[in-house]
Amino acid sequence: MERKAGMERALEGRVTRIALGEYEGAAGDQQHVFLVGNLEKPENHPFVRDNRLEIIVCHYGPGDHGRHHWHPDVTEYELVTQGEVGYFEVSSGGTQWFEAGDLSIIP
């Protein structure tokens, strides 16, 4: 999918909407669609710029693995909407599993 400039939605002191149909197919072969954040690359779907927060829609299929990473200065919150996801916790050496409806909080 072609990357388009100018997809940033300005917040103008009122409720702002990005509808599912505006970003639903935007991931292509990627697992992540960034809807809010201080994004550096042009996006092919609407997004809101925010230096304090990132909101990402993630799509994982059975057996998919996200990249091992950490955020030293922020807390990551993920709401599981379908299926389940496991997180390997380096400090304990164990995996914690989250199911649909669970909110994971990763400091």
Side-chain angles (χ1 to χ4, degrees), residues 22-89:
E22 296 179 272
Y23 68 85
E24 189 170 33
D29 61 349
Q30 301 296 311
Q31 293 175 320
H32 304 98
V33 176
F34 288 79
L35 297 177
V36 177
N38 189 19
L39 308 182
E40 297 177 7
K41 298 177 184 174
E43 295 295 333
N44 59 2
H45 60 278
F47 72 94
V48 172
R49 185 167 306 283
D50 191 316
N51 296 329
R52 304 162 295 152
L53 177 71
E54 285 184 353
I55 297 178
I56 307 163
V57 177
C58 302
H59 300 274
Y60 296 109
D64 283 350
H65 299 281
R67 291 178 302 171
H68 294 283
H69 68 283
W70 64 92
H71 305 281
D73 299 324
V74 300
T75 300
E76 183 172 317
Y77 301 87
E78 291 192 20
L79 176 65
V80 180
T81 60
Q82 185 178 17
E84 64 181 7
V85 63
Y87 285 99
F88 177 73
E89 189 172 23

Side-chain angles (χ1 to χ4, degrees), residues 91-102:
S91 61
S92 71
T95 300
Q96 293 196 37
W97 288 92
F98 299 88
E99 300 175 342
D102 290 347

